[in-house]
Amino acid sequence: MRRQILGAMAVSAVALCISFAAEAKSTLVYCSEGSPEGFGPQLYDSGTTLDVVRPVFNRLVEIKFGTTDPVPSLAEKWDISDDGLTYTFHLRPGVKFQNTKAFKPTRALNADDVVFSFNRMVDKSNPYHDVNGGSYAYFEGMGMPDTIKSVEKVDDMTVKVTLTHPEAPFISEVAMEWASILSKEYADHLEKAGKKEQIDQIPVGTGPYTFVDYQKDAVIRYKANPDYWRGKQKISDLVFAITKDPAVRKAKVVAGECDIMAFPAAADLDALKADPKLVVKEQEGLNIAYLTMNATVKPFDNKVVRQAINMAINKDAIIKAEYLGGAVPAKNTLPPTIWGYNDKVEAYPYDPDKAKSMLEGAGVKDLAVDLWYQPVSRPYNLDGKKMGELMQADLAKVGIKANLVTFDWGEYLKRLHAGEAPMAQIGWTGDIGDPDNFLYLHGCGGTGKPPGQNNEKWCNNDYDALLKEAKETADVQKRTELYAKAEQLIHDEAAVVPIVHSVVYMVMSKNVEGYVMDPLGFHNFEGVGKQ
């Protein structure tokens, strides 16, 4: 009898191990670096937030994983008029929206969804335009309000987008997260229920994973979308374990509590590479870390002051201390890994003595100023506080007393976009392989009113004119010449302090299969599995 009981126990133990193994293989845990601002792809522009909406949504066009090449997605194909002003998108039939506990779609994707998604941002009379603040920094920062004239339904499966002017990178631009396609039926359902705000809190899209729940500052859960048009995912449960401290992220991935981790500390890389259970992937980042100086407030409205601060920051010391060599000093707002980079621009030298003399000549003495540092790890800035301390020491050498300040990431971005920061760290990783995606962040479109993404609030009509002309021609050589002039101008005006272009590292278990590093800095989990 005892032998039979022991045998039954052994079978149960084996079954339990098999169950745990199956569960482990069906769940992927990603240790992310911070909490999202929300779950609305149209409202936000930080990579931290866009990473969490990416599993839920698709766009008409998407960028092929691991490249900067646009490919068809919810639009099977498109036509462009000879004058470059009309884009006609032909939608993919049979694409289903996701189910939630409170919403069951009754129809597949159609033109109404596309028109609604764009017109929420374009049309101020749209019932959802002002929902959850109605601030579309990403959309506005790319100049879309002045670019898109109308978005119209031709028939159930065809949408026509008319532009105000030719826009060379437009197909790639509609692959950005702001162009994610929402469900018009879901929006109508929420409006009827008096819960419109939930459109950006409980997202519904057509993507590979369905949003399940979010515990603030702790975890985000997703389930594989059983009706996904490209096929059900290998992973049933996707979990974002929000882990702000890179040391804790490291401990979790080493212990097997996370399958993938973002943004390891440079000091941990050797140990992580030596761990036989792990793989460390790396690539040059299509990115830039830079320091803003608010050009609308004194003394940063003076070009000489901005030039002096460019000469006060020791970029090589930052690279050595924060990145341990895993970065290169920046002299342009474009990274050298993208076409259009102007290598003829001469970097401001590190010269604190000259910087101090220039500041004194501009009447700046004993200046005290708040310097904002980023509270989360980003691919271009692994440790905002450490960078802030190094900048603080550099500025002290030229007579500027910098007080280090930070906020929760969402609040940081909100205040920065609003122009509250006198000096602040920020950066960018390209969304598409086009120079305009970087350079337009610093323009005002000729309006003199900087959009939210223009964090330094510097406006220059000549700069705007160069970007406008470049966007309106398809001639790559001509565009390159215009962008070279724009880079020289923003350098001469010292609108920002370019700091570094970093190498990007991703750490993962050797059991992870199919994860492709994205040159655009996104984390894609579609098609990822585990052994």
Side-chain angles (χ1 to χ4, degrees):
M1 185 70 176
R2 181 173 179 271
R3 185 176 297 170
Q4 290 177 338
I5 292 172
L6 288 173
M9 289 172 65
V11 170
S12 296
V14 170
L16 187 62
C17 288
I18 292 172
S19 173
F20 283 156
E23 182 178 348
K25 284 187 178 181
S26 67
T27 300
L28 185 80
V29 180
Y30 166 57
C31 269
S32 63
E33 77 285 359
S35 299
E37 302 152 271
F39 292 87
Q42 299 170 327
L43 297 181
Y44 309 108
D45 64 348
S46 79
T48 302
T49 296
L50 299 182
D51 274 339
V52 307
V53 299
R54 180 161 270 243
V56 178
F57 293 97
N58 295 117
R59 290 147 297 287
L60 295 174
V61 181
E62 295 183 1
I63 302 298
K64 182 180 178 181
F65 295 164
T67 77
T68 58
D69 303 327
V71 294
S73 180
L74 295 182
E76 287 187 307
K77 60 182 180 178
W78 50 85
D79 307 313
I80 307 172
S81 62
D82 291 340
D83 62 6
L85 295 178
T86 303
Y87 289 70
T88 303
F89 293 94
H90 304 276
L91 304 184
R92 186 179 302 277
V95 176
K96 296 181 179 180
F97 280 97
Q98 301 149 356
N99 294 322
T100 71
K101 292 179 181 178
F103 171 70
K104 310 295 179 188
T106 65
R107 61 167 178 79
L109 168 85
N110 67 27
D112 293 332
D113 303 304
V114 178
V115 172
F116 166 75
S117 299
F118 278 82
N119 279 348
R120 179 189 181 188
M121 299 175 284
V122 173
D123 183 2
K124 293 183 179 179
S125 66
N126 184 285
Y128 273 83
H129 182 77
D130 294 324
V131 172
N132 295 321
S135 175
Y136 304 103
Y138 203 4
F139 179 77
E140 293 166 1
M142 295 309 301
M144 289 299 114
D146 298 321
T147 299
I148 297 177
K149 182 178 180 181
S150 64
V151 182
E152 302 169 284
K153 175 180 178 178
V154 176
D155 57 42
D156 279 350
M157 301 304 291
T158 312
V159 175
K160 182 175 73 173
V161 180
T162 304
L163 308 184
T164 59
H165 56 80
E167 178 86 357
F170 187 69
I171 286 297
S172 290
E173 287 170 342
V174 294
M176 297 179 187
E177 251 59 26
W178 61 260
S180 296
I181 303 304
L182 284 61
S183 166
K184 172 69 161 58
E185 186 181 16
Y186 181 50
D188 292 342
H189 164 81
L190 292 176
E191 186 173 15
K192 185 176 180 180
K195 298 178 179 179
K196 290 197 291 186
E197 72 283 350
Q198 289 187 5
I199 198 165
D200 303 307
Q201 299 166 356
I202 306 174
V204 169
T206 60
Y209 286 93
T210 300
F211 172 81
V212 176
D213 63 46
Y214 169 46
Q215 297 174 26
K216 185 172 173 57
D217 296 331
V219 65
I220 309 167
R221 293 184 176 87
Y222 308 84
K223 282 278 189 184
N225 177 3
D227 299 317
Y228 185 46
W229 57 276
R230 277 196 285 240
K232 189 175 178 181
Q233 298 303 292
K234 299 173 184 177
I235 296 295
S236 297
D237 295 273
L238 175 63
V239 179
F240 278 43
I242 299 167
T243 314
K244 296 182 180 180
D245 188 333
V248 179
R249 290 200 297 276
K250 176 199 171 187
K252 285 185 175 183
V253 77
V254 168
E257 296 175 27
C258 291
D259 298 297
I260 303 175
M261 70 165 281
F263 317 132
D268 293 333
L269 283 170
D270 286 344
L272 290 166
K273 289 177 179 178
D275 191 319
K277 304 186 301 297
L278 301 177
V279 173
V280 179
K281 295 189 175 186
E282 65 181 80
Q283 66 180 13
E284 284 187 276
L286 191 71
N287 62 35
I288 172 75
Y290 60 95
L291 177 69
T292 68
M293 301 163 284
N294 193 325
T296 67
V297 300
K298 293 184 178 302
F300 306 117
D301 58 343
N302 186 338
K303 177 174 71 174
V304 173
V305 172
R306 300 194 300 264
Q307 290 172 333
I309 291 174
N310 266 271
M311 299 170 72
I313 303 299
N314 189 341
K315 300 172 189 178
D316 288 336
I318 290 174
I319 290 171
K320 183 177 180 180
E322 181 181 347
Y323 301 87
L324 300 185
V328 295
K331 63 180 182 179
N332 289 327
T333 51
L334 268 187
T337 49
I338 198 170
W339 67 269
Y341 180 79
N342 185 358
D343 199 32
K344 293 181 180 179
V345 169
E346 293 187 12
Y348 287 103
Y350 171 57
D351 191 338
D353 291 335
K354 186 173 181 180
K356 187 173 184 179
S357 175
M358 290 170 67
L359 289 170
E360 290 174 353
V364 177
K365 194 174 181 181
D366 299 323
L367 175 66
V369 63
D370 285 346
L371 170 60
W372 294 18
Y373 68 88
Q374 290 181 259
V376 297
S377 301
R378 300 301 304 135
Y380 50 79
N381 187 351
L382 300 174
D383 189 336
K385 186 175 183 182
K386 179 176 285 187
M387 183 183 285
E389 290 168 348
L390 293 166
M391 290 177 168
Q392 184 183 49
D394 287 341
L395 293 172
K397 293 175 184 175
V398 299
I400 297 176
K401 181 180 180 181
N403 176 45
L404 296 183
V405 174
T406 197
F407 304 91
D408 174 80
W409 186 221
E411 188 69 13
Y412 184 99
L413 291 170
K414 180 181 177 182
R415 289 172 176 252
L416 180 60
H417 289 343
E420 295 182 24
M423 300 181 77
Q425 297 171 7
I426 196 63
W428 190 255
T429 298
D431 300 308
I432 57 176
D434 194 282
D436 184 76
N437 184 234
F438 284 87
L439 298 176
Y440 209 94
L441 296 173
H442 310 287
C444 296
T447 66
K449 297 179 180 179
Q453 285 186 309
N454 181 336
N455 293 303
E456 67 277 5
K457 309 308 175 190
W458 169 81
C459 292
N460 183 286
N461 289 335
D462 293 335
Y463 181 83
D464 291 342
L466 288 167
L467 297 194
K468 183 175 186 295
E469 186 178 353
K471 288 177 71 171
E472 293 182 4
T473 178
D475 185 326
V476 174
Q477 183 176 347
K478 179 65 174 175
R479 293 185 76 202
T480 299
E481 293 170 359
L482 292 165
Y483 288 140
K485 292 178 181 178
E487 290 170 80
Q488 187 65 60
L489 176 57
I490 196 172
H491 169 82
D492 293 345
E493 287 286 316
V496 299
V497 183
I499 304 296
V500 302
H501 309 290
S502 74
V503 175
V504 179
Y505 301 92
M506 291 295 292
V507 184
M508 61 200 71
S509 164
K510 282 190 173 178
N511 293 331
V512 173
E513 297 180 316
Y515 183 89
V516 178
M517 281 196 76
D518 191 334
L520 305 176
F522 290 111
H523 301 111
N524 301 302
F525 299 102
E526 182 174 344
V528 177
K530 290 170 66 177
Q531 295 177 352

